[in-house]
Amino acid sequence: MFLTSKRLCFLCPQLKSSLANIRLGYNAVFVAIRNYKSCLECSIPAAEAVAVKDLNIVEDFITEEEEKCLIKEIEPKWRRLKYQSGHWDNAIQDYRETEISKWSRQSDSIINRIRSVAFKDSDLQKTLVHILDLSADGYIKPHVDSVKFCGGVIAGLSLLSPCIMKFVKEDEPNMWIKALLKQRSLYIMSNSIRYNYSHEVLKNKDSMINGEHITKDRRISIICRSEPSPDMNSENIFQNVVIPLELGDENT
């Protein structure tokens, strides 16, 4: 337990050790969260217990200047890529995506910071970094990333805009978790929430948490993943696509 910006935060030992070894930019505000109430809404206590164990959120993981650096490097990648109205498997709406393997020195240091916090030394990591650009009207439908595409850890850095990510247990739809992913925050999914819960980025009209509407503007996410098990072949990233819930149906 430690105090940062007058807020008490509880960390798992692995994450606390990783954070202790990171040097941040001048005047960076860095708040690490295991289960901060303003950022989570859970349907039942059992769902909250899963969030505490398997979902890490780090607010202000990067500074505003670092965000500008990343955006400046990513924007040229979209020159010939228009927003698409639907993903080939209908899992994403109004998006663009690409992968980057080589970064500038400053951006590379940020990517390495993500990797050092999210992954164990023993984890095999995918070299390519997935970049997903959602328009202001874009969203991601519920899905579970295929075990044939990535392993047990997924880490995403949110740029330009906040959003609400919702997790729903596949065999118990009454168990759900909503997480507020603020601009410049990092989320880390692992274990049960990675394998047993679908996750989605909510539409603007459904973007509610703890009774508050969170407006999602254009959002870019930088996603790092661990490699799948050696016996799995790379295949469809979206293993299961679930029909989105209707607004107000909080029992699923």
Side-chain angles (χ1 to χ4, degrees), residues 206-220:
D206 301 332
S207 189
M208 300 287 297
I209 186 167
N210 295 318
E212 180 182 0
H213 182 264
I214 303 296
T215 300
K216 182 192 76 63
D217 207 326
R218 179 191 176 202
R219 175 179 179 265
I220 291 177

Side-chain angles (χ1 to χ4, degrees), residues 14-184:
Q14 176 190 334
L15 185 59
K16 184 175 181 180
S17 175
S18 298
L19 295 178
N21 294 324
I22 294 175
R23 291 185 178 180
L24 301 174
Y26 180 67
N27 277 343
V29 179
F30 192 60
V31 181
I33 301 174
R34 280 296 296 177
N35 179 29
Y36 197 70
K37 296 296 185 180
S38 66
C39 293
L40 287 180
E41 180 182 355
C42 302
S43 60
I44 55 177
E48 182 175 339
V50 171
V52 169
K53 178 177 177 291
D54 296 336
L55 178 63
N56 282 290
I57 301 174
V58 185
E59 288 187 356
D60 290 309
F61 185 78
I62 58 173
T63 66
E64 291 184 21
E65 289 303 315
E66 288 174 324
E67 180 183 36
K68 291 176 182 178
C69 174
L70 289 168
I71 293 299
K72 183 178 179 180
E73 186 159 351
I74 291 170
E75 288 289 27
K77 309 294 182 182
W78 310 127
R79 282 176 183 160
R80 297 184 180 180
L81 291 176
K82 296 181 179 180
Y83 285 105
Q84 301 180 51
S85 59
H87 198 262
W88 58 271
D89 60 3
N90 201 35
I92 318 178
Q93 297 293 318
D94 296 321
Y95 77 101
R96 301 182 290 195
E97 64 182 342
T98 189
E99 293 179 317
I100 299 178
S101 60
K102 295 183 179 180
W103 299 84
S104 67
R105 179 180 298 180
Q106 185 175 359
S107 295
D108 192 52
S109 69
I110 300 169
I111 301 302
N112 286 334
R113 191 191 308 165
I114 295 172
R115 295 185 186 280
S116 67
V117 168
F119 302 99
K120 301 175 183 177
D121 292 340
S122 58
D123 288 333
L124 296 177
Q125 301 176 38
K126 297 186 76 69
T127 303
L128 292 174
V129 178
H130 184 201
I131 312 299
L132 181 62
D133 181 354
L134 286 178
S135 74
D137 295 323
Y139 59 95
I140 302 176
K141 297 179 182 180
H143 68 279
V144 177
D145 287 9
S146 174
V147 296
K148 295 183 179 181
F149 181 86
C150 61
V153 180
I154 301 171
L157 180 64
S158 300
L159 307 179
L160 298 180
S161 171
C163 75
I164 302 299
M165 184 172 283
K166 185 176 182 180
F167 305 85
V168 180
K169 192 170 184 183
E170 290 202 288
D171 57 352
E172 296 182 51
N174 67 313
M175 284 186 62
W176 54 261
I177 301 157
K178 288 183 180 180
L180 170 58
L181 305 181
K182 297 181 180 180
Q183 184 178 356
R184 295 186 294 276

